[in-house]
Amino acid sequence: EIVMTQSPATLSVSPGERATLSCRASQSVSNNVAWYQQKPGQAPRLLIYYASTRATGVPARFSGSGSGTEFTLTISSLQSEDFAVYYCQQSSSWPPMYTFGQGTKLEI
Amino acid sequence: EAQLVESGGDLVQPGGSLRLSCAASGFTFRSYEMNWVRQAPGKGLEWVAYISATGSTIYYSDSVRGRFTISRDNGESSVYLQVGSLTVEDTAVYYCAKQITRLTSAPFDVWGHGTMVIVSS
């Protein structure tokens, strides 16, 4: 099973600052990584897929990078609505086991 | 607008079973792979099961294989999850989620609001 490890568990930042969230895969997953945002009481929302493609309607301040085992989600200038929990997910394993990271909580 | 609406969650005793439903609208349901993902209270996301667009290919996580059954009815635009032999560890919000394309590597672009399953005596 491919394990996805996110760091840090909690990231304290201020509005307007840049946030960098990391995700490491236990083995290569090529570019088959997605990032989701989840706010309290809501379903997850797809932000980035195939490591760097923004989903429809996602603001340009969100960007993703990486390949192989190291991936990064960057939020260039934090807005108040960005404070949430962020999960990475791999979709590379066969048969499919769409494992998620444990999440990074972005807080003020 | 694509939409998924889950139902069927309830309080159930250990060892019990439930059938969860997810009704889809706003997209051509029969063309997309579907999944169930769960989230225990205060915990992260855990993928549970996958079903291909035709229903011919199914996968499960190790934690539910042999106890849960995923199925779909393309005529009704619905996907189901029969959950059985439930333990307290199965207590969670259960989400259905659509994949963005027909590739198994595709991410989940549409999610329902979730339905809560509580396993307790």
Side-chain angles (χ1 to χ4, degrees):
Chain A
E1 177 186 339
I2 298 175
V3 177
M4 305 297 282
T5 303
Q6 292 185 241
S7 61
T10 304
L11 183 60
S12 298
V13 292
S14 299
E17 292 185 338
R18 180 187 189 94
T20 302
L21 288 66
S22 297
C23 179
R24 173 176 292 178
S26 59
Q27 64 189 76
S28 177
V29 294
S30 184
N31 69 335
N32 294 309
V33 166
W35 290 91
Y36 300 85
Q37 175 193 68
Q38 188 179 35
K39 297 179 180 179
Q42 296 185 17
R45 172 197 179 196
L46 177 65
L47 296 176
I48 300 288
Y49 60 99
Y50 295 141
S52 61
T53 301
R54 266 191 307 276
T56 301
V58 174
R61 63 180 182 273
F62 290 91
S63 63
S65 63
S67 66
T69 62
E70 300 286 342
F71 300 88
T72 300
L73 174 69
T74 301
I75 310 171
S76 59
S77 179
L78 281 160
Q79 307 296 304
S80 57
E81 63 266 29
D82 300 335
F83 292 93
V85 179
Y86 292 83
Y87 294 95
C88 62
Q89 177 204 33
Q90 70 83 17
S91 57
S92 181
S93 54
W94 188 263
M97 288 284 186
Y98 301 103
T99 47
F100 292 88
Q102 80 278 20
T104 290
K105 182 179 182 180
L106 197 55
E107 63 177 27
I108 300 175
Chain B
E1 179 189 0
Q3 189 173 8
L4 298 170
V5 178
E6 302 94 335
S7 61
D10 205 347
L11 170 64
V12 60
Q13 292 188 338
S17 62
L18 282 174
R19 189 195 198 204
L20 310 182
S21 300
C22 171
S25 61
F27 65 98
T28 306
F29 179 76
R30 64 179 180 272
S31 297
Y32 291 93
E33 276 63 24
M34 298 295 295
N35 293 263
W36 286 92
V37 176
R38 69 183 180 182
Q39 186 170 35
K43 302 297 185 182
L45 301 168
E46 179 189 13
W47 170 77
V48 171
Y50 157 101
I51 187 166
S52 64
T54 62
S56 61
T57 302
I58 286 171
Y59 300 109
Y60 299 99
S61 67
D62 292 343
S63 62
V64 307
R65 187 178 298 113
R67 301 187 300 120
F68 290 11
T69 302
I70 190 172
S71 62
R72 66 189 294 160
D73 183 336
N74 286 344
E76 294 292 325
S77 296
S78 294
V79 61
Y80 308 98
L81 187 69
Q82 181 75 35
V83 299
S85 301
L86 288 166
T87 72
V88 294
E89 286 73 34
D90 296 314
T91 294
V93 174
Y94 285 74
Y95 296 101
C96 65
K98 163 191 169 290
Q99 288 187 243
I100 199 168
T101 71
R102 294 203 62 177
L103 296 173
T104 53
S105 62
F108 305 164
D109 67 328
V110 181
W111 297 65
H113 59 83
T115 189
M116 185 75 200
V117 173
I118 301 173
V119 184
S120 175
S121 54

